[in-house]
Amino acid sequence: MIVETASEVLEKHKLCNHCLGRLFAKLGKGTNEERGKAIRFVLNMERSRKGLSPIGEPEECELCGNVFDRIPELVEKMKKASEGIEFDTFLVGSRFPEEVRRKEEALWEEFGIETGEPINREFNRELGKAFGVETGKDTSRNPDVVFIVEPYSGAIELQINPIYIYGRYRKLVRGIPQTPLPEFEDSVASIICRVVSRAFDGKCIFKGAGREDVDVRMLGNGRPFIVEVKRPKRRKVDLNKIAGEINASGKVEVLDLSFVSAKEAEEVLTKNHRKEYLALVFVKDGVTPEEAEEVARKLRGLEIHQRTPWRVRKARADKVRVKKVYEAQARWIDDTHFELHLVTDGGLYIKELISGDKGRTKPSVSDLLGKSAWCERLDVLNILDE
């Protein structure tokens, strides 16, 4: 049946061995070109037996226009397009003219072909094999780069896939925001990204798992973050060296830098974390050691109903969030100050937990004391993963 179908096709259409073999791509093993040669060979044996002249491979294939002969030339163009780009793995995609795809589909329909493979799939595979042999690079489902090839024009589009780096940062000083703000010279993101961008020769985008205020330090085990490096020209970079350069700033310290996948990066940023805080509370009307201890006792296990704080209402959806305080300990300092050591749900605004934010946070430390209280100083001690 294969030979009969092939005979019917070749009597009406001039096809190269690639396009002939591709009609039967789902049958047997080997390349389409090898399959096409074998089919043509057996067909011509039959024709010889019947005294008919052989059907040779045409000078120009009416379906593909001998596009497979252009593979060596396109490999050279791909090499040129990727000069100066560091990568180990790649994929090839192609943009075939709609006219070619329609011709192929019409051919399948004309002869009832159900075993064919689309031309772009074979072309991508064969071009990828040739490029791999020439360069020693490997194909991958998660490649460093993707070549999009226009086979007839020879145009090459190079897509350089981003790199994702996980880490945790400690903000050692007050007075710097997490991300750039006009009135601040530095930020956590800019200190980290200056080093990362230079090392990878790409654009760095910083994403923190939550954030702390400008006047709050981030200490302890650090806050998880992801940096995405877009269109990196270098990929083989020593992350320990990067950490050393960032840490030399004296303002920000990074820990546990590692390469991660896009999926792992997303999980880091969407995971909810409990947080450990140390707050210095000021009570203008005075506070006793007993009152401080009583506030901590009442806070333990307490559910807090917190409407979006007044100070961030323009940047956050105005709604009531229910958060929990898991642990609370107090240490009295003087007649107007005590420290609160807290473990809470992520997303609970601690300054407003203390002040009450004019009734938007209930209950608050001010409510529990029965007198106004303010957060004078705040540190995030740890981000708790579990």
Side-chain angles (χ1 to χ4, degrees), residues 86 163-168 188-202 204 206 225 227-229 232 234-250 252-259:
E86 194 172 77
I163 289 171
Y164 297 92
I165 301 168
Y166 161 84
R168 304 178 81 102
V188 173
S190 64
I191 290 170
I192 291 173
C193 278
R194 271 197 297 270
V195 178
V196 172
S197 292
R198 187 169 59 247
F200 287 91
D201 197 0
C204 173
F206 175 94
F225 70 92
V227 288
E228 177 184 357
V229 187
R234 291 190 289 272
R235 304 184 90 89
K236 297 176 182 177
V237 173
D238 185 345
L239 295 183
N240 289 327
K241 186 177 178 182
I242 284 181
E245 288 187 44
I246 294 169
N247 297 350
S249 71
V252 173
E253 186 175 276
V254 294
L255 315 166
D256 305 333
L257 294 186
S258 62
F259 293 105

Side-chain angles (χ1 to χ4, degrees), residues 9-289:
V9 171
L10 292 180
E11 282 173 4
K12 292 186 68 175
H13 300 282
K14 295 178 180 179
L15 301 184
C16 67
N17 287 331
H18 282 278
C19 291
L20 174 61
R22 197 168 57 255
L23 297 175
F24 309 97
K26 295 179 182 177
L27 305 175
K29 296 181 179 180
T31 69
N32 287 330
E33 184 182 25
E34 290 168 345
R35 190 176 288 107
K37 283 180 180 178
I39 292 170
R40 197 183 300 271
F41 179 76
V42 173
L43 169 62
N44 284 332
M45 286 178 65
E46 284 291 323
R47 290 177 66 83
S48 177
R49 185 177 66 83
K50 296 174 182 177
L52 300 172
S53 59
I55 301 176
E57 192 171 13
E59 286 189 15
E60 182 172 340
C61 176
E62 71 176 61
L63 177 56
C64 77
N66 296 0
V67 73
F68 290 90
D69 293 345
R70 298 199 64 192
I71 283 179
E73 171 196 345
L74 292 170
V75 166
E76 292 305 312
K77 286 179 177 285
M78 290 164 66
K79 285 164 63 177
K80 187 171 182 180
S82 58
E83 277 180 1
I85 307 298
E86 194 172 77
F87 67 99
D88 290 324
T89 58
F90 71 96
L91 269 185
V92 174
S94 57
R95 294 193 184 104
F96 270 81
E98 189 65 32
E99 177 190 356
V100 174
R101 301 214 305 256
R102 282 201 302 266
K103 271 188 187 178
E104 183 168 64
E105 289 168 3
L107 192 65
W108 291 1
E109 187 174 346
E110 182 181 358
F111 295 98
I113 301 295
E114 297 180 351
T115 54
E117 177 184 42
I119 187 171
N120 63 303
R121 193 175 298 170
E122 180 189 5
F123 186 82
N124 296 349
R125 182 174 61 248
E126 294 303 317
L127 181 55
K129 280 160 56 177
F131 184 78
V133 168
E134 184 73 17
T135 62
K137 310 291 186 184
D138 294 320
T139 56
S140 168
R141 289 186 179 181
N142 297 299
D144 296 334
V145 299
V146 178
F147 294 92
I148 305 297
V149 180
E150 294 184 10
Y152 297 100
S153 71
I156 308 287
E157 178 187 327
L158 180 63
Q159 296 177 0
I160 305 174
N161 283 337
I163 289 171
Y164 297 92
I165 301 168
Y166 161 84
R168 304 178 81 102
Y169 76 81
R170 301 174 73 221
K171 191 174 85 176
L172 307 177
V173 297
R174 303 184 197 280
I176 58 173
Q178 186 190 75
T179 52
L181 292 174
E183 61 269 35
F184 293 90
E185 182 181 345
D186 262 332
S187 67
V188 173
S190 64
I191 290 170
I192 291 173
C193 278
R194 271 197 297 270
V195 178
V196 172
S197 292
R198 187 169 59 247
F200 287 91
D201 197 0
K203 182 181 178 182
C204 173
I205 297 173
F206 175 94
K207 302 170 186 178
R211 62 172 60 227
E212 66 287 326
D213 288 340
V214 170
D215 60 343
V216 175
R217 292 185 298 175
M218 176 64 244
L219 305 175
N221 64 351
R223 183 182 297 280
F225 70 92
I226 295 292
V227 288
E228 177 184 357
V229 187
K230 291 183 176 292
R231 294 190 63 81
K233 290 185 178 178
R234 291 190 289 272
R235 304 184 90 89
K236 297 176 182 177
V237 173
D238 185 345
L239 295 183
N240 289 327
K241 186 177 178 182
I242 284 181
E245 288 187 44
I246 294 169
N247 297 350
S249 71
K251 298 177 181 179
V252 173
E253 186 175 276
V254 294
L255 315 166
D256 305 333
L257 294 186
S258 62
F259 293 105
V260 294
S261 66
K263 183 180 179 183
E264 290 168 330
E266 185 181 356
E267 289 171 356
V268 168
L269 297 173
T270 54
K271 187 176 181 181
N272 196 22
H273 302 268
R274 290 184 186 180
K275 296 182 175 69
E276 183 181 357
Y277 297 93
L278 183 64
L280 178 63
V281 181
F282 171 69
V283 185
K284 182 180 179 181
D285 293 339
V287 64
T288 66

